[in-house]
Amino acid sequence: ALIEALCTELETAIRDMEKTRHIPGRTGNIAVAKGYLCCVHAKLGEREAARRLYNEAEEYLVATKETKLLEDCQQALRVASPLHS
């Protein structure tokens, strides 16, 4: 229940931020939120959605050295993989 609510909140935040993409720094905010949402989808077992979000966020997260979030995403994706089920 809590994880699903978090998923909804992050999806809503991303949708709202995408409407104001022209604001400086917004692209970074969106990428970070997608990183967190990647982890949430992986936790829910929604691997394809998690992988898509990771792919969308990765370039920014690497460029800005968001090391912890990158590691969290990568770990979540490993745990969500069929080999670890």
Side-chain angles (χ1 to χ4, degrees), residues 34-78:
K34 285 183 176 183
Y36 286 112
L37 188 56
C38 162
C39 294
V40 172
H41 276 289
K43 178 78 173 166
L44 291 169
E46 298 167 355
R47 184 160 168 55
E48 286 183 34
R51 172 58 62 189
R52 177 184 49 78
L53 288 159
Y54 179 78
N55 290 341
E56 292 173 7
E58 181 182 26
E59 182 178 355
Y60 176 85
L61 298 178
V62 169
T64 57
K65 298 183 172 108
E66 291 282 349
T67 308
K68 176 70 171 116
L69 182 52
L70 281 163
E71 290 171 358
D72 290 347
C73 290
Q74 292 162 359
Q75 175 63 26
L77 287 167
R78 279 193 296 273

